[in-house]
Amino acid sequence: DRPANDHHGGFHHEALLYPGAGEFTAGVLSFVRPALDQGHPVLVLLTPAKIGAVRDALGPAAEKASFADLADVGGNPGRLIGVWQRFIDGQAGASEYRGVGEAVFPGRSPAELAECQRYEELLNLAFGAATPLRMLCPYDVSALPAAVIQDARRSHPFLTAGQPGDEQASPDFQPIDLAEPYAQPLSSGPRDAALIAFERGGLGNLRSFITARAEQAGLGQRPATALVAAVNEIATNSLQHGGGRGELRIWTDDGWLLCEVSDQGHLTAPLAVRLPPAADQGAGLWLANQL
């Protein structure tokens, strides 16, 4: 069990830096079991193999926890903050919530790792002193690049190696700069990327353009339909909030079909598209992120 003085109140964000399967299981159990014993809601987001290992180690107590395949709910890391918010909303009134989420695992692409780091940084903004959510984020130090582990040290206020009592404040923690999250330009697409400009009244042509490129790239009907809907929502946002016009570039790269919508707007809300919008706000960008 974790030490009695381990409660810090409000949101608590901790990285578990583990070197092997044994340390992973021990660290997760020491975090999860006390919460289950006390009747707190627990959500565990891991790959199926690790879900199996945690279930086996917990034994009958595993039935008290909720589990989900992280590759399913967090294939796009930008959706994960919404997953935690729905977990809290679905267990409203609990005095404490605990979650385990290994968003960063070997095999993630560089683009996915960058998005995972952004997710970890924004978690510290999404939940605050009023939210009694304690989160443990495992990182495999034996399999992940050193730069990724250093990012974990910067984005998590607390670190642990998994043994009771060894939690410590991260000396490298850096709160996210609210002026910075979306200030950096995207990497440039290839010069031969297909390009179409759009303005009011032109979304039908835009959708036809994407559909043709998706078919040419070999996308199945379901992902192609989702892609068209997502880009349509982003382009609609460009027309409403980005200057009334925009451009779409589309190209393939290493088996992926990439679409980039650009306009004259600038995103200033750090949690935009991460959480469901309020009733009086547009839902287009959030919907695109879900798709």
Side-chain angles (χ1 to χ4, degrees), residues 127-191:
F127 303 106
T131 307
L133 171 63
R134 298 177 55 77
M135 285 193 58
L136 184 72
C137 305
Y139 283 78
D140 187 346
V141 298
S142 67
L144 294 169
V148 172
I149 301 303
Q150 188 58 34
D151 283 342
R153 293 178 178 275
R154 284 193 292 264
S155 59
H156 292 77
F158 299 95
L159 306 173
T160 180
Q163 297 301 318
D166 71 356
E167 178 195 300
Q168 59 179 306
S170 173
D172 301 313
F173 174 63
Q174 296 177 4
I176 191 169
D177 182 350
L178 297 184
E180 186 69 16
Y182 306 109
Q184 299 300 320
L186 295 175
S187 57
S188 299
R191 293 184 177 181

Side-chain angles (χ1 to χ4, degrees), residues 62-130:
E63 298 306 314
K64 302 177 184 178
S66 298
F67 295 85
D69 181 353
L70 194 137
D72 181 27
V73 300
N76 171 8
R79 294 199 301 256
L80 283 169
I81 291 178
V83 171
W84 296 116
Q85 185 62 61
R86 289 192 294 274
F87 165 57
I88 293 170
D89 292 343
Q91 306 277 351
S95 61
E96 181 176 303
Y97 306 87
R98 291 209 183 190
V100 177
E102 190 169 18
V104 178
F105 49 81
R108 285 281 204 187
S109 69
E112 289 173 325
L113 289 174
E115 187 65 16
C116 285
Q117 174 63 10
R118 178 61 46 78
Y119 150 72
E120 296 280 26
E121 292 171 337
L122 289 174
L123 272 172
N124 301 311
L125 182 65
F127 303 106

